[in-house]
Amino acid sequence: GLEIATVIAVDFTKSNGDPTQEGTLHYMDTSKPNDYVMAIRAVGEILQHYDSDGKYPVYGFGAKLPPSLTHVSHCFALTGNYFAPEVEGISGIIEAYRRALSVVQLHGPTRFSEVIDLVRNFAAARSNSPNEQKYHILMIVTDGVLNDMQETINAIVAASNTPMSIIIVGVGDEDFALMDELDADDKDLWSTE
């Protein structure tokens, strides 16, 4: 039968504010949930009932990574191991998010295309296997600022031929007009590739 696999991608860009400052979207106070934790929980608790195994690959984008903090990555595993990105349950997602937040440096720009391409490749690889069919759901949690609009559109159009959906969860008070454009309700998306 068909299984559903949920993949989470979290925005680690500077536009979210300094995580050491109260009131910012990534504020690192473990005594109460920040905006990202609340969004992950709210949507994750709904999606978990549809996910086949309760294991979630969790990625981040837009941060400089240790040890040197000199390279910006637009697709990194929050577990710290790109080849083993899965965690158990919603609590595992939040734990991996908090651990990553404590070691990465928020940077930017905000690019969705790389994480969309990654999940598209997962979905495409499994779509041809009659014994292991999976439908992928990519949940992108972001503050709404997007710097690679055309590349993201290209990635979404390419992904439209695979068994996957993309859910964009907005946090904060930014203008989410670009996210509205990506849903293609009013105007079709066209790839330049």
Side-chain angles (χ1 to χ4, degrees), residues 29-81:
D29 177 2
T30 57
S31 68
K32 61 182 178 185
N34 65 26
D35 289 34
Y36 274 82
V37 169
M38 288 188 296
I40 291 166
R41 249 191 218 134
V43 180
E45 287 177 358
I46 295 166
L47 293 178
Q48 73 181 346
H49 299 290
Y50 302 98
D51 190 86
S52 303
D53 62 3
K55 295 180 182 174
Y56 304 94
V58 186
Y59 295 93
F61 56 90
K64 289 186 176 180
L65 305 181
S68 65
L69 299 175
T70 57
H71 172 73
V72 177
S73 177
H74 301 292
C75 187
F76 59 93
L78 296 194
T79 62
N81 184 343

Coordinates of all heavy atoms in Angstrom, one line a residue, residues 29-81:
D29 N 14.3 30.1 24.9 CA 13.9 29.9 26.3 C 13.1 28.6 26.3 O 12.0 28.5 25.8 CB 13.0 31.1 26.7 CG 12.5 30.9 28.1 OD1 12.8 29.9 28.8 OD2 11.7 31.8 28.6
T30 N 13.8 27.6 26.9 CA 13.1 26.3 26.9 C 12.0 26.1 27.9 O 11.3 25.1 27.9 CB 14.2 25.2 27.2 OG1 14.8 25.4 28.4 CG2 15.2 25.1 26.1
S31 N 11.8 27.2 28.7 CA 10.7 27.1 29.7 C 9.3 27.4 29.0 O 8.3 27.0 29.6 CB 10.9 28.1 30.8 OG 10.8 29.4 30.4
K32 N 9.3 28.0 27.8 CA 8.1 28.1 27.1 C 8.4 28.0 25.6 O 9.5 28.4 25.2 CB 7.4 29.5 27.4 CG 8.3 30.7 27.1 CD 7.6 32.0 27.5 CE 8.5 33.2 27.2 NZ 8.0 34.4 27.7
P33 N 7.5 27.6 24.8 CA 7.7 27.4 23.4 C 7.8 28.7 22.6 O 7.0 29.6 22.9 CB 6.5 26.5 22.9 CG 5.5 26.8 23.9 CD 6.1 27.1 25.2
N34 N 8.8 28.8 21.7 CA 8.9 29.9 20.8 C 7.9 29.7 19.7 O 7.2 28.7 19.6 CB 10.3 30.2 20.4 CG 10.9 29.1 19.5 OD1 10.2 28.4 18.8 ND2 12.2 29.0 19.6
D35 N 7.9 30.7 18.8 CA 6.9 30.7 17.6 C 7.2 29.4 16.7 O 6.2 28.8 16.2 CB 7.1 31.9 16.8 CG 6.5 33.1 17.5 OD1 6.6 33.3 18.7 OD2 6.0 34.0 16.8
Y36 N 8.4 29.0 16.5 CA 8.7 27.9 15.7 C 8.3 26.6 16.4 O 7.7 25.7 15.7 CB 10.2 27.8 15.4 CG 10.5 28.6 14.1 CD1 10.7 30.0 14.2 CD2 10.6 28.1 12.9 CE1 11.0 30.8 13.1 CE2 10.8 28.8 11.7 CZ 11.0 30.2 11.9 OH 11.3 30.9 10.7
V37 N 8.5 26.5 17.7 CA 8.1 25.3 18.4 C 6.6 25.2 18.4 O 6.0 24.1 18.1 CB 8.6 25.3 19.8 CG1 8.0 24.2 20.7 CG2 10.1 25.1 19.9
M38 N 5.9 26.3 18.6 CA 4.4 26.2 18.5 C 3.9 25.8 17.1 O 2.9 25.0 17.0 CB 3.8 27.6 18.9 CG 4.0 27.9 20.4 SD 3.1 29.3 21.0 CE 4.0 30.6 20.2
A39 N 4.5 26.3 16.1 CA 4.1 26.0 14.7 C 4.4 24.5 14.4 O 3.5 23.8 13.8 CB 4.8 26.9 13.7
I40 N 5.5 24.1 14.8 CA 5.9 22.6 14.6 C 4.9 21.7 15.3 O 4.4 20.8 14.7 CB 7.3 22.4 15.0 CG1 8.3 23.1 14.0 CG2 7.6 20.9 15.1 CD1 9.8 23.1 14.6
R41 N 4.6 22.1 16.5 CA 3.7 21.3 17.3 C 2.3 21.3 16.7 O 1.6 20.3 16.5 CB 3.6 21.8 18.7 CG 4.2 20.9 19.7 CD 3.9 21.2 21.1 NE 5.1 20.9 21.9 CZ 5.7 21.7 22.8 NH1 5.2 22.8 23.1 NH2 6.8 21.3 23.4
A42 N 1.8 22.5 16.4 CA 0.4 22.6 15.9 C 0.2 21.8 14.6 O -0.8 21.1 14.5 CB 0.1 24.1 15.7
V43 N 1.0 22.0 13.7 CA 0.8 21.3 12.4 C 1.3 19.9 12.5 O 0.7 19.0 11.9 CB 1.5 22.1 11.2 CG1 1.3 21.4 9.9 CG2 1.0 23.5 11.1
G44 N 2.4 19.7 13.2 CA 3.0 18.3 13.3 C 2.0 17.4 14.0 O 1.9 16.2 13.6
E45 N 1.3 17.9 15.0 CA 0.3 17.0 15.7 C -0.8 16.5 14.8 O -1.4 15.5 15.0 CB -0.2 17.7 17.0 CG 0.9 17.7 18.1 CD 0.5 18.4 19.3 OE1 -0.6 19.0 19.4 OE2 1.3 18.4 20.3
I46 N -1.1 17.3 13.8 CA -2.1 16.9 12.8 C -1.5 15.9 11.8 O -2.1 14.8 11.6 CB -2.7 18.1 12.0 CG1 -3.4 19.0 13.0 CG2 -3.6 17.7 10.9 CD1 -3.8 20.4 12.5
L47 N -0.3 16.2 11.3 CA 0.3 15.4 10.3 C 0.8 14.0 10.8 O 0.8 13.1 10.1 CB 1.5 16.1 9.6 CG 1.2 17.3 8.8 CD1 2.4 18.0 8.3 CD2 0.2 17.0 7.6
Q48 N 1.1 14.0 12.1 CA 1.6 12.7 12.7 C 0.6 11.6 12.5 O 1.1 10.4 12.4 CB 2.0 12.9 14.1 CG 0.8 13.0 15.1 CD 1.3 13.2 16.5 OE1 2.4 13.1 16.9 NE2 0.3 13.6 17.4
H49 N -0.6 11.9 12.5 CA -1.6 10.8 12.3 C -1.6 10.1 10.9 O -2.2 9.1 10.7 CB -3.0 11.3 12.7 CG -3.1 11.8 14.1 ND1 -3.1 11.0 15.2 CD2 -3.2 13.1 14.6 CE1 -3.2 11.7 16.3 NE2 -3.2 13.0 15.9
Y50 N -1.0 10.8 10.0 CA -1.0 10.3 8.6 C 0.4 9.7 8.3 O 0.5 9.0 7.3 CB -1.3 11.4 7.6 CG -2.7 12.0 7.9 CD1 -2.8 13.2 8.6 CD2 -3.8 11.3 7.5 CE1 -4.1 13.7 8.9 CE2 -5.1 11.8 7.7 CZ -5.2 13.0 8.5 OH -6.5 13.5 8.8
D51 N 1.4 10.1 9.0 CA 2.8 9.6 8.7 C 2.8 8.1 9.1 O 2.3 7.6 10.1 CB 3.8 10.3 9.5 CG 5.2 10.0 9.1 OD1 5.7 10.7 8.1 OD2 5.8 9.1 9.7
S52 N 3.5 7.3 8.2 CA 3.4 5.9 8.3 C 4.2 5.3 9.5 O 3.8 4.3 10.1 CB 4.0 5.2 7.0 OG 3.2 5.7 5.9
D53 N 5.4 5.9 9.8 CA 6.3 5.3 10.8 C 6.6 6.2 12.0 O 7.3 5.8 12.9 CB 7.6 4.8 10.2 CG 8.4 5.9 9.6 OD1 8.0 7.1 9.6 OD2 9.4 5.5 9.0
G54 N 6.1 7.4 12.0 CA 6.4 8.3 13.1 C 7.9 8.8 13.2 O 8.3 9.4 14.2
K55 N 8.6 8.6 12.1 CA 10.0 9.1 12.0 C 10.0 10.2 11.0 O 9.4 10.0 9.9 CB 10.9 7.9 11.6 CG 11.0 6.9 12.6 CD 12.0 5.8 12.2 CE 12.0 4.7 13.3 NZ 12.8 3.5 12.8
Y56 N 10.7 11.3 11.3 CA 10.7 12.4 10.5 C 12.1 12.9 10.1 O 12.9 13.3 11.0 CB 10.0 13.6 11.2 CG 8.6 13.2 11.6 CD1 8.4 12.8 12.9 CD2 7.5 13.3 10.8 CE1 7.1 12.4 13.3 CE2 6.2 13.0 11.2 CZ 6.0 12.5 12.5 OH 4.8 12.2 12.9
P57 N 12.4 13.0 8.8 CA 13.7 13.6 8.4 C 13.5 15.1 8.7 O 12.4 15.7 8.3 CB 13.8 13.4 6.9 CG 12.9 12.2 6.7 CD 11.8 12.3 7.7
V58 N 14.4 15.8 9.4 CA 14.3 17.2 9.8 C 15.5 17.9 9.3 O 16.6 17.6 9.6 CB 14.2 17.3 11.3 CG1 13.9 18.8 11.7 CG2 13.1 16.4 11.9
Y59 N 15.2 19.0 8.5 CA 16.3 19.8 7.8 C 16.1 21.2 8.2 O 15.0 21.7 8.6 CB 16.2 19.6 6.3 CG 16.5 18.2 5.8 CD1 15.4 17.3 5.6 CD2 17.8 17.8 5.6 CE1 15.7 16.0 5.2 CE2 18.1 16.5 5.2 CZ 17.0 15.6 5.0 OH 17.3 14.4 4.6
G60 N 17.2 21.9 8.0 CA 17.2 23.4 8.2 C 17.8 24.0 7.0 O 18.4 23.4 6.1
F61 N 17.6 25.3 6.9 CA 18.2 26.1 5.8 C 18.5 27.5 6.2 O 17.8 28.0 7.1 CB 17.2 26.1 4.5 CG 15.8 26.6 4.8 CD1 15.6 27.9 4.6 CD2 14.8 25.7 5.2 CE1 14.3 28.4 4.8 CE2 13.5 26.2 5.4 CZ 13.3 27.6 5.2
G62 N 19.5 28.1 5.6 CA 19.8 29.5 5.8 C 20.8 29.8 7.0 O 20.8 30.9 7.5
A63 N 21.5 28.8 7.4 CA 22.4 29.0 8.6 C 23.8 28.6 8.2 O 24.1 27.9 7.3 CB 22.0 28.1 9.8
K64 N 24.8 29.2 9.0 CA 26.2 28.8 8.9 C 26.4 27.7 9.9 O 25.9 27.8 11.0 CB 27.1 30.0 9.3 CG 27.1 31.1 8.2 CD 28.1 32.2 8.5 CE 28.2 33.2 7.4 NZ 29.2 34.2 7.7
L65 N 27.1 26.7 9.5 CA 27.2 25.5 10.3 C 28.6 25.3 11.0 O 29.6 25.8 10.5 CB 27.0 24.2 9.4 CG 25.7 24.2 8.5 CD1 25.6 22.9 7.7 CD2 24.5 24.3 9.4
P66 N 28.6 24.7 12.1 CA 29.8 24.4 12.8 C 30.7 23.4 12.0 O 30.1 22.7 11.2 CB 29.4 23.8 14.1 CG 28.0 23.4 14.0 CD 27.4 24.1 12.8
P67 N 31.9 23.3 12.2 CA 32.7 23.9 13.3 C 33.1 25.4 12.9 O 33.3 26.2 13.8 CB 33.9 23.0 13.5 CG 34.1 22.4 12.2 CD 32.8 22.3 11.5
S68 N 33.3 25.7 11.7 CA 33.9 27.0 11.3 C 32.9 28.1 11.2 O 33.3 29.3 11.3 CB 34.6 26.9 10.0 OG 33.6 26.6 8.9
L69 N 31.6 27.8 11.0 CA 30.6 28.8 10.9 C 30.9 29.8 9.7 O 30.6 31.0 9.8 CB 30.3 29.6 12.2 CG 29.9 28.8 13.4 CD1 29.8 29.6 14.6 CD2 28.5 28.2 13.1
T70 N 31.5 29.3 8.7 CA 31.8 30.1 7.5 C 31.0 29.8 6.3 O 30.9 30.6 5.4 CB 33.3 30.0 7.2 OG1 33.6 28.6 6.9 CG2 34.2 30.5 8.3
H71 N 30.4 28.6 6.3 CA 29.6 28.2 5.1 C 28.2 28.2 5.4 O 27.7 27.7 6.4 CB 30.1 26.8 4.7 CG 29.2 26.2 3.6 ND1 29.3 26.6 2.3 CD2 28.2 25.2 3.7 CE1 28.4 25.9 1.6 NE2 27.8 25.1 2.4
V72 N 27.4 28.9 4.5 CA 25.9 28.9 4.7 C 25.4 27.7 4.0 O 25.7 27.4 2.8 CB 25.3 30.2 4.0 CG1 23.8 30.1 4.1 CG2 25.8 31.4 4.7
S73 N 24.5 26.9 4.7 CA 23.9 25.8 4.1 C 22.4 26.0 3.9 O 21.7 26.6 4.8 CB 24.1 24.5 5.0 OG 23.4 23.4 4.4
H74 N 21.9 25.7 2.8 CA 20.5 25.8 2.5 C 19.7 24.5 2.6 O 18.5 24.4 2.2 CB 20.3 26.5 1.1 CG 21.0 27.8 1.0 ND1 20.5 28.9 1.7 CD2 22.1 28.2 0.4 CE1 21.3 29.9 1.5 NE2 22.3 29.5 0.7
C75 N 20.4 23.5 3.1 CA 19.8 22.2 3.3 C 20.7 21.3 4.2 O 21.6 20.7 3.7 CB 19.5 21.5 2.0 SG 18.5 20.0 2.2
F76 N 20.4 21.4 5.5 CA 21.3 20.6 6.4 C 20.4 19.8 7.4 O 19.3 20.3 7.7 CB 22.3 21.5 7.2 CG 21.6 22.6 8.0 CD1 21.3 22.4 9.4 CD2 21.3 23.8 7.5 CE1 20.7 23.4 10.1 CE2 20.7 24.8 8.2 CZ 20.4 24.6 9.5
A77 N 20.8 18.6 7.8 CA 20.1 17.8 8.7 C 20.2 18.4 10.1 O 21.3 18.7 10.6 CB 20.6 16.4 8.7
L78 N 19.1 18.6 10.8 CA 19.1 19.1 12.2 C 19.7 18.1 13.2 O 20.2 18.5 14.2 CB 17.7 19.5 12.7 CG 17.0 20.6 11.9 CD1 15.8 21.1 12.7 CD2 17.9 21.7 11.6
T79 N 19.8 16.8 12.8 CA 20.5 15.9 13.6 C 22.0 16.0 13.6 O 22.7 15.4 14.5 CB 20.1 14.4 13.2 OG1 20.6 14.3 11.8 CG2 18.7 14.1 13.2
G80 N 22.5 16.8 12.6 CA 23.9 16.9 12.5 C 24.5 15.9 11.6 O 25.7 15.9 11.3
N81 N 23.7 14.9 11.2 CA 24.2 13.8 10.3 C 23.3 13.8 9.1 O 22.2 13.3 9.1 CB 24.1 12.5 11.0 CG 24.7 11.3 10.2 OD1 24.8 11.5 9.0 ND2 25.0 10.2 10.9

